[in-house]
Amino acid sequence: MTSIVEILLLAVPLLLTTGLSFLNFLVFFRKYRQKEEIALLHISVTFICSMFLFFLLFIAVLLPPAVHLQMFLVANIFVWILFLEIGNSYLSAFLNRSSEIDRYILPVFGAAIGLAVLIASKPDLYLITVSLNIELVVFLAAVFTVFFTFARALVRVNLVLDQFEGEELKLLELTQQIFLLGVCSIGFTFITCFLWLISKGMDNLSLEIVTWEVIDWITYLNMPLYAGILLGALLRSLRIDFEQIDVPSILNVLDAPPE
């Protein structure tokens, strides 16, 4: 049975991040319906994927430890679908400026999704403690692609900030902040979750309070971290008047080929 401590420290924050993800989805999907820009649709889908991710982990807290591993592996699928949509958002905004290496963004995330589905259906294939396994290589390539995408997008947004003002500048500054926070938070997540997996072992992964060690507490800091980011993104986006923003104009400037 789930204890009060587990509910307060895990279930409540996960339910909060689930709700905030859904609210962010509603905001950006509404903007997509108004502006009909495909990049806004991909951003909306990233939030709905994060909602499913956090909801699956929330359900895992309430279920017996015997099913925690399977829930983690299913949640892992949504992690890579989320990053696939981030890649789609990036390519939608910078289609004309994409380079040779940009062409590998979607195939890498696609491979990670396919492998995550395979592992969730056959957990015995997940042998991350053995060096040079194909799944480890694919996931590390996908992790590198995540940071590559955020870094390039951040640089390109910085290059055009001085060409905008008013609400459009606010939107780009929010985007810039999300990129910066995204790089830091995702880096923290990958490091802590990898160390958690290695230290605990696949057979001992559990959200039960009786099994918690220092690495557990460090790893679970991800939940308040993402709750804060999602809340900040929601509040900032609600303060931006999208009626005064010419999204196609912004995308045309972002996507302009380098001189």
Side-chain angles (χ1 to χ4, degrees):
M1 182 176 178
T2 306
S3 70
I4 297 297
V5 176
E6 289 163 0
I7 291 175
L8 292 177
L9 295 182
L10 289 177
V12 171
L14 283 168
L15 191 59
L16 178 62
T17 52
T18 299
L20 289 170
S21 295
F22 182 65
L23 291 175
N24 274 286
F25 161 74
L26 291 179
V27 169
F28 281 92
F29 187 72
R30 180 171 176 268
K31 304 309 177 186
Y32 162 71
R33 294 288 300 272
Q34 293 173 347
K35 303 295 183 178
E36 296 186 347
E37 285 293 339
I38 193 66
L40 292 175
L41 176 60
H42 289 305
I43 293 172
S44 302
V45 175
T46 61
F47 284 117
I48 205 68
C49 286
S50 68
M51 183 197 76
F52 283 117
L53 168 63
F54 292 126
F55 184 71
L56 282 170
L57 295 176
F58 165 74
I59 294 299
V61 175
L62 306 179
L63 294 177
V67 300
H68 285 178
L69 175 59
Q70 188 62 43
M71 296 295 289
F72 294 151
L73 295 180
V74 174
N76 186 47
I77 299 172
F78 286 96
V79 170
W80 298 112
I81 295 176
L82 184 154
F83 287 128
L84 176 69
E85 286 306 304
I86 290 177
N88 277 320
S89 301
Y90 169 83
L91 293 176
S92 296
F94 301 105
L95 182 62
N96 291 330
R97 300 189 65 180
S98 60
S99 63
E100 282 293 326
I101 194 169
D102 290 337
R103 298 178 182 179
Y104 295 98
I105 291 176
L106 300 187
V108 169
F109 288 140
I113 294 170
L115 196 54
V117 171
L118 178 62
I119 291 170
S121 60
K122 295 182 179 296
D124 56 303
L125 296 178
Y126 201 105
L127 303 174
I128 199 168
T129 55
V130 180
S131 62
L132 298 181
N133 282 325
I134 186 171
E135 63 268 24
L136 183 57
V137 173
V138 171
F139 287 139
L140 286 178
V143 170
F144 170 80
T145 305
V146 171
F147 290 111
F148 167 82
T149 303
F150 272 88
R152 284 177 71 89
L154 180 61
V155 169
R156 289 176 174 178
V157 169
N158 287 339
L159 289 175
V160 301
L161 276 180
D162 58 353
Q163 301 183 45
F164 296 94
E165 59 183 15
E167 297 300 306
E168 293 179 344
L169 179 59
K170 290 181 183 179
L171 177 60
L172 288 177
E173 287 176 341
L174 172 60
T175 303
Q176 184 183 48
Q177 292 171 3
I178 290 175
F179 287 152
L180 284 171
L181 289 172
V183 169
C184 296
S185 58
I186 291 170
F188 179 77
T189 298
F190 281 134
I191 292 172
T192 55
C193 289
F194 183 79
L195 293 177
W196 186 63
L197 176 61
I198 294 300
S199 63
K200 305 284 284 188
M202 290 297 297
D203 296 331
N204 297 312
L205 294 182
S206 173
L207 297 175
E208 279 191 307
I209 190 69
V210 294
T211 67
W212 287 11
E213 302 170 357
V214 174
I215 187 60
D216 296 301
W217 290 98
I218 295 174
T219 302
Y220 300 149
L221 284 175
N222 282 283
M223 286 173 288
L225 172 66
Y226 282 103
I229 293 174
L230 289 166
L231 178 60
L234 178 63
L235 294 177
R236 287 290 303 275
S237 61
L238 289 174
R239 293 173 185 165
I240 297 174
D241 186 359
F242 276 80
E243 296 298 328
Q244 299 183 34
I245 296 177
D246 186 352
V247 176
S249 176
I250 294 178
L251 294 178
N252 286 337
V253 174
L254 289 173
D255 199 25
E259 298 180 357

